[in-house]
Amino acid sequence: MKKLILLCLVFVCSNTFFAQNAKTKAKKTKATTEKVVKEKKEKVTTVKEKVTETKKGAKKDVQKVEKEANSKTKAVKDKVDSSQKEAKEKAAKVSDKASGMYNGNKVFTGPNGGKYYINKNGNKTYIDKEAAK
């Protein structure tokens, strides 16, 4: 019986001793975990800030490229329009005779006797016979 009581006492003491070690380990683990979590949150915040800055920079770059593209497109379009108008006028001059003015535009006479002028879009606009006289 003495042995049994002694064995129980040793068991209770060892459990108390190991329980204290477990509590200490739990506190250390908790502190380490909190430290790691804090560091990760700081890294995430830093990465988010960098991403935001990159997005802003990319947005500015895109806007700049769009402006340049729009201006170049407009310039090319204007050149094409003017060259088309010039080409139509040259074609009209070669085949048709200029025969006066109408609303500030040269009037041409076509091969069948129709009178027209080249409008601002470079297209032929025919004039009524009565208005042309």
Side-chain angles (χ1 to χ4, degrees):
M1 182 82 156
K2 287 182 183 182
K3 287 184 182 181
L4 185 62
I5 293 174
L6 185 61
L7 185 63
C8 288
L9 247 166
V10 169
F11 180 71
V12 169
C13 288
S14 65
N15 278 344
T16 307
F17 175 74
F18 288 119
Q20 288 175 352
N21 285 342
K23 285 181 183 178
T24 306
K25 284 183 181 179
K27 284 181 183 178
K28 287 180 182 178
T29 305
K30 185 177 179 182
T32 306
T33 304
E34 288 175 354
K35 182 179 176 183
V36 169
V37 167
K38 184 178 177 182
E39 289 173 359
K40 294 296 180 182
K41 283 183 180 179
E42 288 174 358
K43 284 183 180 179
V44 167
T45 304
T46 305
V47 169
K48 283 182 180 179
E49 289 172 356
K50 286 181 181 178
V51 166
T52 304
E53 289 174 12
T54 305
K55 282 182 180 179
K56 286 179 184 177
K59 201 173 199 179
K60 287 180 184 177
D61 290 344
V62 167
Q63 289 172 346
K64 183 179 177 182
V65 168
E66 284 177 346
K67 284 181 184 178
E68 289 175 5
N70 288 341
S71 65
K72 287 180 181 178
T73 302
K74 187 177 184 218
V76 168
K77 189 175 182 180
D78 291 343
K79 268 189 174 178
V80 167
D81 289 345
S82 66
S83 64
Q84 284 178 344
K85 186 176 180 180
E86 288 174 11
K88 284 186 179 182
E89 284 180 359
K90 284 181 182 177
K93 287 180 183 178
V94 170
S95 63
D96 300 336
K97 296 179 183 178
S99 60
M101 295 290 283
Y102 179 78
N103 288 342
N105 296 307
K106 287 184 181 179
V107 175
F108 300 95
T109 303
N112 295 332
K115 297 197 177 208
Y116 64 91
Y117 64 93
I118 305 297
N119 64 19
K120 66 179 181 178
N121 295 329
N123 297 322
K124 292 180 182 178
T125 303
Y126 283 89
I127 304 169
D128 292 336
K129 289 182 181 180
E130 293 176 11
K133 290 182 179 180

